[in-house]
């Protein structure tokens, strides 16, 4: 490992002046050495006058590393990331181009990936991982959500949209006011708009069969293409690949290709 401190900068490692005041930018000019090992920055050797700092651009093996910004208790890595943070104890983490770019004072958010929660201005304790996860516009957002995958939670537009778990590419894509939904799988529940307390697991699970399921509540959809036959079903259970529900307050087990249903190990109960 190669340790770099202000004293090293003063002794010719960079062009920055006296010990204790060397500029990190001095390490990346055209005459700076290219480091083959790890670069260790000793915090005791870096001086500053406030709690908001930027390490600028570091270069390793001839390549520029992403900009690193530490503002208050938040850490941001990437171009345009965390630009609006007010420098207080927000405890946000943003990694990726324009991640958390507009968040000022809300906190506890983790955004990883390009454009994750890009223009969101409110929301606490959310986790968004994946390109454009958590949405890219400035609409309202709730708290304690987990969005993992491309475009998950893209259209969330309500401060009441709390406690959702969307995992999978475009899961929960069109959710506006979405409350406590668990949508797992490629495009699971991706037509739901104003919905709550649903569980959909499987590719396209929780969508509609011949209809656009939009305001479903308290539903359970398990299996690939386990879908509803209503736009606004309540308390519907659908289990099985390509199974279609019968509407509110009904339960369906198996699709139309199931020939027998056994309720116990033996054939005594069918």
């Amino acid at each position: 490992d190669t340790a770099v401190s202000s004293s090293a900068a003063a002794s010719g490692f960079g062009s920055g002046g006296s010990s204790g005041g060397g500029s990190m930018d001095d390490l990346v000019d055209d005459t700076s050495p290219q480091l083959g090992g790890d670069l260790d920055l000793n915090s005791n050797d870096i001086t500053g006058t406030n709690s908001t700092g930027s390490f600028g651009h570091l270069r390793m093996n001839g390549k520029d590393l992403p900009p690193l910004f530490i503002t208050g208790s938040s850490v941001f890595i990437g171009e345009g990331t965390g630009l609006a943070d007010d420098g207080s104890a927000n405890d946000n983490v943003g990694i990726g181009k324009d991640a958390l770019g507009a968040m000022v004072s809300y906190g506890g958010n983790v955004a990883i990936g390009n454009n994750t929660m890009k223009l969101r201005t409110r929301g606490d304790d959310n986790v968004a991982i994946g390109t454009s996860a958590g949405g890219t516009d400035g609409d309202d957002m709730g708290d304690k959500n987990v969005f993992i995958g491309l475009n998950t939670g893209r259209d969330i537009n309500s401060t009441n949209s709390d406690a959702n778990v969307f995992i999978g590419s475009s899961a929960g894509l069109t959710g506006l006011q979405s409350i406590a939904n668990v949508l797992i799988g490629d495009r699971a529940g991706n037509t739901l708009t104003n919905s709550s307390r649903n569980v959909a697991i499987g590719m396209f699970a929780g969508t509609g069969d011949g209809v656009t399921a939009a305001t479903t509540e308290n539903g359970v959809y398990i299996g690939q293409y386990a879908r509803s036959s209503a736009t606004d079903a309540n308390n519907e259970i659908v289990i099985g690949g390509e199974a279609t529900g019968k509407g509110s307050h009904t339960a369906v087990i198996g699709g139309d290709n199931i020939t027998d249903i056994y309720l116990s190990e033996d054939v005594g109960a069918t």
Side-chain angles (χ1 to χ4, degrees):
D1 290 0
T2 303
V4 178
S5 67
S6 56
S7 57
S11 61
F13 200 73
S15 59
S18 61
S19 64
S23 168
M24 294 305 298
D25 288 335
D26 294 335
L27 301 182
V28 295
D29 60 20
D30 292 338
T31 61
S32 63
Q34 303 299 303
L35 304 178
D38 294 330
L39 179 63
D40 295 333
L41 302 178
N42 300 321
S43 59
N44 292 335
D45 293 328
I46 299 175
T47 61
T49 58
N50 55 55
S51 62
T52 300
S54 168
F55 292 111
H57 291 276
L58 301 179
R59 180 175 295 164
M60 180 178 292
N61 295 329
K63 297 181 178 179
D64 286 332
L65 300 181
L68 169 63
F69 304 98
I70 299 176
T71 125
S73 60
S74 298
V75 176
F76 301 106
I77 301 175
E79 180 183 349
T81 303
L83 289 183
D85 191 277
D86 64 2
S88 60
N90 296 323
D91 297 326
N92 290 309
V93 175
I95 301 175
K97 186 178 184 299
D98 294 324
L100 284 175
M103 192 73 69
V104 177
S105 59
Y106 287 81
N109 298 293
V110 176
I112 300 175
N114 289 352
N115 298 320
T116 50
M117 296 179 65
K118 179 179 179 179
L119 296 179
R120 298 292 190 183
T121 59
R122 62 184 303 152
D124 291 319
D125 303 312
N126 297 292
V127 175
I129 301 175
T131 300
S132 301
T136 61
D137 60 22
D139 289 337
D140 287 333
M141 190 172 184
D143 306 325
K144 300 177 179 63
N145 297 291
V146 176
F147 302 131
I148 300 177
L150 173 69
N151 289 325
T152 50
R154 184 195 66 183
D155 294 346
I156 292 293
N157 184 18
S158 172
T159 57
N160 294 322
S161 294
D162 300 330
N164 296 288
V165 177
F166 298 168
I167 300 176
S169 178
S170 297
L173 179 70
T174 61
L176 300 174
Q177 178 169 284
S178 180
I179 302 172
N181 289 304
V182 177
L183 310 176
I184 300 175
D186 181 19
R187 288 163 283 184
N190 74 336
T191 63
L192 298 177
T193 54
N194 299 316
S195 62
S196 59
R197 298 174 296 278
N198 297 292
V199 175
I201 301 175
M203 185 171 70
F204 284 104
T207 58
D209 185 0
V211 299
T212 300
T215 57
T216 307
E217 294 187 348
N218 306 303
V220 176
Y221 305 90
I222 299 176
Q224 176 178 292
Y225 290 94
R227 298 179 290 184
S228 178
S229 60
T231 62
D232 57 353
N234 183 21
N235 193 32
E236 181 180 45
I237 298 174
V238 183
I239 300 174
E242 300 188 15
T244 299
K246 299 297 184 181
S248 296
H249 311 297
T250 65
V252 171
I253 300 177
D256 58 10
N257 58 344
I258 298 297
T259 59
D260 298 283
I261 296 177
Y262 296 87
L263 300 182
S264 65
E265 289 184 1
D266 58 28
V267 296
T270 60

